[in-house]
Amino acid sequence: MSVTSANPPIASSPSEPMLLAKPRNMWQDAWRRLIRGSNGRIGLAIVTLIVLIAVLTPLVDPYDPTTDSNMVESRKSPSAQHLFGTDRLGRDVFRRVMHGTRFSLVVALVSIIVGNVLSTAVGMIAGYYGGLADSTILRLMELMQAFPAIPLAIAIVAILGPGLLSTILAITIVGIPGGMRVARAMTLSLKNLDYVDAARSLGASNAHVILRHVLPNLISFVVVGATLGVGGIILTAAALGFLGLGAQPPTPEWGVMIADAVPFLRQSPHLAMFPGLAIMVTVLGFNLLGDGLRDALDPSLSGTA
Amino acid sequence: MTTYIFRRILIVIPVLIGVSILSFFFVRLIPGDPVRVMLGERARPADVQQYKAQMGLDQPIYIQYIKYMEQMFKGNLGQSIVTRVPVAKDISYRLPATIEAIFFALLLGIVLGIAMGIVAALKRNTIVDTGASLVALTGVSMPVFWLALILIYFFGVNLKILPPGARLDAHLKITQVTGFYLIDSLLMGRLDIFWNVIKHMILPSFVLSTTVMPSIMRLTRASMLEVLQKDYIRTARAKGLAMSKVVLKHTLRNALLPVITVIGLQVSGLLGGAILTENAFSWTGMGSWFYGAIVGRDYPVIQTAILLNAVIFVLMTMLVDISYAFIDPRIRYK
């Protein structure tokens, strides 16, 4: 099988018979465009930093939230010793914010990856085969989408019981219909293209067509959609933590930390301030990276909302 | 046109039935026996049986569903198993509270979002454009509940110019007629109460509006830029029409079409945001009601709240589709 659809040839007009530069594949090309755009560059820098913090903090500074308390130091304002101050139990807020990074990232990454793999697979199968299965799946997804996202996530967590795992599951389930419908719609238009017909007439199996010809052509959309979705997921996870339905105290999850700070808003506003800023910077980083990736992977969409 | 509206309404009916089935069975999946929650762990078995029979919980689940729907069409939505207050009564004052907040949030989000989008598009690639994008980006990246707390601290605690929560100062009494405090206070002829209600509304509406403003702004900008490149805009400019006229008469009308669709989709975000905002501001609306029911495992309330969320969402999407057809004749003939 020599039909490769993932590498569209670099455009060359008839007046230029030969390409001087070595052709780059889609991902190399996208990488160059990502680095060139300021959104993508800033986003990539923030996300890299956040990932480093998430990975390195537990290695550099082992932390057990269940034994961390020092009542003498309760609710101190930010100082050189405690950069972000201390909370009700005298715990260093800076330390807890750093340790909180990995909880947000794990929730976001697991639900984004599981959710997108599932929704893309189901979407491709539904779109490719059509028929009764397709319309059944589509109706079900429409029904799920009739429920607003956050209330639905809260209801799912209520069934499963509060916790980080329930948060991941609820967010994954809520995200599936949207991704599935995008994958399905793209498969519908892709499966009628000439090169798919050509592959089929050469005797390619359905599985081969889906994996080698449909998937490579919608993967960039999935990647952009997934990156742009991370921010929203981190916000939802923090919201569930804030409502007491997500991670449970004393886990240093950012939403939980803000909920802990509410009774002391009057005297110690810094307790709520810093975890919120951490959420904001992280979400901002992923949103910028997503914008940059979208511009890089599909230049025709550049500048649209 | 009438056929289009009629067809659009017909599509909604199976969705609403599906939604009612889903929200009914959904609630039965919640672990924990509601009777045990209500009567306590040491209740006598006989009491438990009697209570179950009273609530219809001992019958097969499909009969429970049919009975539920039957009662609902009679206007009886059951009663809270925690407070024993009829669900319909709770809704009668909580739904207006949420609609009031969402209405002003949407208004604020649309007006500010569209205005910022237009300015950003007209001043493309200037500092104004960058500034507007930055505001929008910060807006989508900020947790709503956190923004609420920061504003409560700043305006409510520190500056003391706006109340930190609730719908009305505690010493003021309002006679409820419609449940909409702005209307009720005017019906009472009490401008001081009206003003007090507005002051309570500013922070929650603003916080809630940040969930819709960024996407409206970004879409308006993108859509304006697209329309501004069109030939008929160039023609209008070439024949000497003032830029302000071109923007208002030729560009805006066409650019706002996609924006309307997106406003419909934002309702989902608003209903989710309402849960968080109402909690932060102790706003006695649907969001805080739903949350309280989840925490208290209050079956009838959760069921109705989930259903109501979905119904509002489905109906809003329908209204947006219909209004879209009014504005863009091409839709009607599809």
Side-chain angles (χ1 to χ4, degrees), chain A residues 157 161-168 244-248:
Chain A
V157 172
L164 265 182
L165 196 64
S166 312
T167 304
I168 293 176
L245 299 168
Q248 295 296 307

Side-chain angles (χ1 to χ4, degrees), chain A residues 39 140 142-152 154-156 158-162 235 238-240 242-245 254-255 258-259 262 265-267 269 272-277 279-281 283-285 287-288 291 294 302-305, chain B residues 14-15 18-20 22-23 26-27 29-31 137-138 140-146 149-150 152-153 157 160 164 215 218-219 221-222 225-226 267-269 271-273 275-276 279-280 290-291 294-295 297 302 306-307 309-311 313-314:
Chain A
N39 272 8
L140 195 69
E142 270 169 8
L143 212 54
M144 271 178 73
Q145 281 189 315
F147 293 90
I150 291 188
L152 183 60
I154 289 178
I156 293 174
I159 292 177
L160 300 169
L235 289 178
L240 289 173
F242 176 73
L243 291 176
L245 299 168
W254 293 334
I258 296 177
V262 172
L265 193 62
R266 199 170 289 265
Q267 305 91 338
M273 182 66 86
F274 292 110
L277 281 176
I279 298 174
M280 199 167 112
V281 171
V283 175
L284 193 69
N287 283 341
L288 283 170
D291 278 353
R294 182 187 49 208
S302 179
T304 56
Chain B
V15 177
V19 158
S20 73
L22 217 61
S23 48
F26 204 69
V27 171
L29 296 173
I30 296 183
L137 209 59
T138 319
V140 278
S141 306
M142 212 158 21
V144 208
F145 54 91
W146 181 70
L149 293 179
I150 299 295
I152 289 172
Y153 174 72
V157 177
K160 293 197 195 325
S215 34
R218 294 177 78 178
L219 196 72
R221 175 183 178 276
L225 286 178
E226 203 186 308
V267 176
S268 163
L271 291 170
I275 296 179
L276 298 163
N279 255 308
F290 176 51
Y291 174 65
I294 293 271
V295 174
R297 294 195 185 294
I302 298 176
I306 296 180
L307 183 60
N309 262 307
V311 170
F313 186 37
V314 170

Side-chain angles (χ1 to χ4, degrees), chain A residues 40-170:
Chain A
R41 211 164 31 195
I42 299 170
L44 191 66
I46 296 176
V47 170
T48 313
L49 182 70
I50 304 259
V51 171
L52 281 179
I53 291 175
V55 174
L56 294 181
T57 311
L59 299 177
V60 176
D61 171 32
Y63 178 70
D64 180 4
T66 51
T67 57
D68 182 22
S69 86
N70 179 6
M71 293 311 281
V72 188
E73 294 278 298
S74 176
R75 287 200 286 125
K76 291 272 191 292
S77 293
S79 64
Q81 202 191 350
H82 299 290
L83 218 48
F84 292 175
T86 61
D87 67 5
R88 177 176 53 99
L89 297 175
R91 298 175 293 196
D92 186 83
V93 176
F94 178 75
R95 193 176 175 202
R96 284 174 59 79
V97 167
M98 291 293 127
H99 280 279
T101 315
R102 66 174 174 279
F103 295 100
S104 292
L105 280 196
V106 166
V107 170
L109 292 185
V110 173
S111 42
I112 266 290
I113 292 169
V114 174
N116 274 286
V117 168
L118 278 176
S119 62
T120 309
V122 175
M124 283 194 306
I125 291 169
Y128 188 81
Y129 292 101
L132 187 65
D134 179 36
S135 39
T136 314
I137 294 175
L138 201 61
R139 289 291 97 76
L140 195 69
M141 297 293 146
E142 270 169 8
L143 212 54
M144 271 178 73
Q145 281 189 315
F147 293 90
I150 291 188
L152 183 60
I154 289 178
I156 293 174
V157 172
I159 292 177
L160 300 169
L164 265 182
L165 196 64
S166 312
T167 304
I168 293 176
L169 265 168

Side-chain angles (χ1 to χ4, degrees), chain B residues 32-33 57 114 126 159 188 218 222 236 244 251 262 301 319:
Chain B
D33 184 350
L57 293 174
I114 290 181
T126 64
L159 296 177
M188 289 168 73
R218 294 177 78 178
S244 59
T251 320
V262 122
V301 175
L319 283 181

